[in-house]
Amino acid sequence: MRRRRLAPLLAVSITATLAPALATSTATAAPAATPSTTSSAAATGALNRYVKQKPQWKRCEAAAPAEFECATIKVPLDYRVPGGKQIDLAISRIRSTAPDKRRGVLFSNPGGPGGEGLYMPLSMQESLPKSAQQKYDLIGFDPRGVGRSSPVSCGLEPEEENMLRPYKEETFDKDVAWARGVANKCKEKAGDTLPHITTRNTVRDMDLLRAVLGEKKISYVGYSYGTYLGAVYTQLFPGRADRFVLDSAVDPARAWRGMIQWWAEGAEPAFDRWTEWAAERSKKYGLGDTPKQVDRTFWDLVAQADEKPIEVEGQPVTGDDIRSGMRGAVFTPKEATEAFVELKKAAAGLPASAKKLAAFAGSEGTGTAGAASGAASGAAEIPSDNSTASFWAVVCGDNSAAWSRDPESYRQDAIKDKGRYPLYGDFASSIKPCAFWDKSVEPATEVNNKVGSLVVQNEWDSQTPLPSGQALHADLKGSKMVTVLGGEGHGVYPNGNPCTDGTVNDYLLTGKLPAKDVTCKATADSNAEARKNQKRDVLPGSPLPERAPDRF
């Protein structure tokens, strides 16, 4: 079997999700509480009080467009006890430009876990055709525990946020101590909150927001981790899902250790493709006349940098840094080749292009993403480690069963996977804080439904490789899939390709899925657009980074 089937879910099978008093198709139907000591009637009453909230919309900030409005609502920290502690959910909207043509609301999420989504309506406004902006109110939100939605913190120092560490026998005990230390800090700092910062609860927040807005259903565009949010929504609330676009998809069965390991597994075929590409252009780049020679050139430079780091703009680049940087770079062979050529120049003491060498200037998991997010937003109340703390809350708390409690098993996996996936296997499989995390409050969600949706996937995606998207498509039996052959980059829509953009736009406008799966061919322009979107420093109209390199 491709996956182990999970035990029956705690009160979120479709029949159990909806408490009898809330099993209604009315626009104000609230998301159900899960069983607890709270009586059904009391839970229903508590949730209905949340539904009656009236958001106090106001301009998000002085520099933002006037039509971009923000508000805050309250949601239960623990949906099993809806009358208990409350947390804030920061929400935003841009209203339909043609109320007479309005269909409903279009939610969106940029990825994560730990990604701030409050500014997504501005991004969607830039992406969607005018006809779609007439049909929908564009709705954004910071997921619970993230950004302005009661942000969590573990009190981590920047060096503790370095999450992807290569396996070395001499440093493994220190890495175990780091992982245990992060888990302990998180428990001490936010132990009462972190167990409830999960995908399932974020989905419940989405449905509560739907009810607060007075909508019967929501439409949705989710990227990367956002595809998992969308898929779980279709599982928990199938009757409330309208038009769902899931771009660059997560395989639900591999949430979350297996998804991190996809970074290593997916990099190997991309690396092989790169060696072939570079060998075909050996006269121009001089890396080798055959793929085997290019491969040897690469690993020789890794060995050289392991022995003596290469200096790039005053920063040492080790062999591990080269492996880590190449992991993402090889999905775009031309850029990977040009960067590697410059790295060879630097190793020889020759002048090199710092811009082209950016991928190798230190490991991906530097831990800067969380600090950048909090600082860039200009909101002092957002802790500098918020992105990392909320990432671990979801990655560890969604499915603790996926994470071994035995540190030695991570050592063995890292050694084995470094042999199977030499570019990145040990980074992906070595010890993580989840090994010391508390047991999940609920089991992971098994996604297996017939809700209509559109899965969109590039063939060469460094974060969520093609097999991951194919797995989600198989789980969502009512879905159709758009595959972009030759497509490079993480995140497809929009990329300027009439085949992909046209298919997505038609679905959002008409609600009609393609009659069968669609295969599009990437163009040089569409790949360039996808890479530009991936490397964009900030979300449109926002001071926030779009996506960290070690997130989904």
Side-chain angles (χ1 to χ4, degrees):
M1 294 178 63
R2 185 173 69 85
R3 65 190 69 194
R4 177 179 61 84
R5 290 299 177 188
L6 297 171
L9 302 179
L10 175 63
V12 274
S13 66
I14 300 312
T15 54
T17 302
L18 301 176
L22 299 177
T24 169
S25 61
T26 62
T28 55
T34 52
S36 68
T37 53
T38 307
S39 71
S40 177
T44 300
L47 283 170
N48 280 336
R49 286 193 290 274
Y50 284 103
V51 171
K52 294 178 182 177
Q53 296 178 86
K54 296 188 182 300
Q56 300 300 305
W57 296 104
K58 60 182 180 180
R59 190 171 184 169
C60 290
E61 56 186 66
E67 70 271 18
F68 182 45
E69 300 177 303
C70 289
T72 301
I73 64 171
K74 298 291 185 180
V75 298
L77 173 64
D78 184 350
Y79 275 88
R80 301 170 303 172
V81 190
K85 183 178 178 180
Q86 301 176 341
I87 58 175
D88 290 336
L89 189 72
I91 60 177
S92 61
R93 73 177 180 187
I94 296 176
R95 293 195 187 209
S96 159
T97 58
D100 59 319
K101 297 181 180 180
R102 181 185 180 277
R103 176 178 178 82
V105 290
L106 182 66
F107 285 38
S108 54
N109 179 273
E116 300 176 39
L118 195 68
Y119 282 83
M120 277 299 289
L122 292 174
S123 179
M124 298 309 297
Q125 185 183 50
E126 182 181 85
S127 303
L128 293 170
K130 298 298 182 183
S131 52
Q133 295 180 45
Q134 293 175 341
K135 276 190 172 292
Y136 298 103
D137 291 349
L138 308 179
I139 305 297
F141 64 99
D142 282 348
R144 60 170 46 211
V146 176
R148 293 166 177 79
S149 292
S150 295
V152 295
S153 171
C154 296
L156 301 177
E157 298 298 327
E159 61 271 15
E160 293 175 300
E161 295 188 64
N162 182 359
M163 60 170 278
L164 293 165
R165 299 172 177 226
Y167 172 76
K168 295 184 183 300
E169 183 178 357
E170 63 270 23
T171 61
F172 184 70
D173 288 345
K174 292 181 179 179
D175 292 336
V176 171
W178 158 78
R180 182 184 286 110
V182 169
N184 287 341
K185 274 193 167 186
C186 289
K187 187 172 183 177
E188 292 167 6
K189 182 83 171 179
D192 293 337
T193 300
L194 288 178
H196 307 291
I197 307 301
T198 63
T199 297
R200 289 161 70 91
N201 278 333
T202 297
V203 163
R204 292 177 178 122
D205 293 342
M206 290 168 61
D207 201 59
L208 178 57
L209 176 54
R210 171 204 60 77
V212 167
L213 295 174
E215 301 291 333
K216 291 183 179 181
K217 295 185 176 185
I218 68 169
S219 292
Y220 177 79
V221 176
Y223 297 88
S224 199
Y225 167 66
T227 67
Y228 186 60
L229 270 181
V232 173
Y233 189 93
T234 66
Q235 191 70 30
L236 302 194
F237 303 103
R240 299 171 186 172
D242 192 4
R243 302 169 184 180
F244 270 50
V245 177
L246 308 175
D247 187 327
S248 306
V250 167
D251 177 358
R254 297 187 65 151
W256 282 104
R257 191 181 185 216
M259 280 306 305
I260 292 175
Q261 289 172 318
W262 260 132
W263 292 342
E265 296 171 45
E268 291 304 314
F271 183 85
D272 291 342
R273 174 181 176 238
W274 168 69
T275 62
E276 293 172 2
W277 191 97
E280 290 171 357
R281 296 159 180 80
S282 60
K283 289 184 179 180
K284 180 175 181 179
Y285 296 110
L287 299 182
D289 294 330
T290 66
K292 187 174 182 179
Q293 289 176 356
V294 175
D295 179 273
R296 186 71 269 149
T297 299
F298 174 81
W299 289 108
D300 283 348
L301 192 64
V302 169
Q304 178 182 335
D306 276 336
E307 190 171 311
K308 181 181 179 182
I310 301 166
E311 186 171 307
V312 175
E313 289 202 317
Q315 297 295 319
V317 175
T318 67
D320 291 329
D321 292 330
I322 296 173
R323 291 194 296 128
S324 176
M326 203 64 168
R327 196 276 298 179
V330 290
F331 287 84
T332 305
K334 183 175 185 292
E335 292 188 5
T337 304
E338 291 177 348
F340 190 73
V341 167
E342 295 302 313
L343 190 63
K344 282 193 68 186
K345 290 180 183 178
L350 301 173
S353 168
K355 183 178 180 180
K356 290 182 178 179
L357 280 169
F360 302 110
S363 176
E364 292 178 37
T366 58
T368 60
S373 178
S377 68
E381 69 273 13
I382 301 177
S384 62
D385 71 333
N386 175 240
S387 176
T388 299
S390 53
F391 176 86
W392 288 127
V394 172
V395 166
C396 302
D398 269 1
N399 185 14
S400 59
W403 298 92
S404 169
R405 295 319 199 215
D406 177 14
E408 183 60 25
S409 69
Y410 291 91
R411 181 202 301 271
Q412 297 304 319
D413 284 352
I415 293 171
K416 176 186 67 177
D417 285 347
K418 188 172 185 179
R420 296 170 65 193
Y421 314 115
L423 198 63
Y424 207 69
D426 54 323
F427 282 88
S429 290
S430 195
I431 192 82
K432 306 289 186 294
C434 302
F436 305 101
W437 215 260
D438 287 343
K439 186 177 180 180
S440 297
V441 173
E442 303 177 80
T445 305
E446 179 183 352
V447 174
N448 181 18
N449 64 63
K450 296 181 180 180
V451 175
S453 59
L454 188 64
V455 178
V456 188
Q457 191 76 33
N458 275 327
E459 181 181 10
W460 297 104
D461 182 335
S462 60
Q463 301 297 99
T464 52
L466 178 59
S468 179
Q470 292 168 332
L472 180 61
H473 176 38
D475 290 338
L476 296 174
K477 295 173 175 57
S479 68
K480 292 294 186 290
M481 184 168 182
V482 179
T483 303
V484 187
L485 292 182
E488 298 171 354
H490 183 53
V492 179
Y493 176 79
N495 64 2
N497 187 325
C499 178
T500 53
D501 290 358
T503 304
V504 174
N505 289 337
D506 286 348
Y507 174 54
L508 289 174
L509 289 170
T510 68
K512 294 181 180 179
L513 286 165
K516 58 183 181 180
D517 290 345
V518 176
T519 299
C520 301
K521 291 185 178 179
T523 66
D525 288 343
S526 67
N527 275 342
E529 184 67 21
R531 291 194 297 270
K532 184 181 76 173
N533 289 342
Q534 184 175 351
K535 295 178 179 179
R536 179 183 282 149
D537 292 332
V538 297
L539 285 170
S542 164
L544 302 177
E546 182 170 23
R547 185 179 291 112
D550 54 2
R551 302 290 191 269
F552 294 98

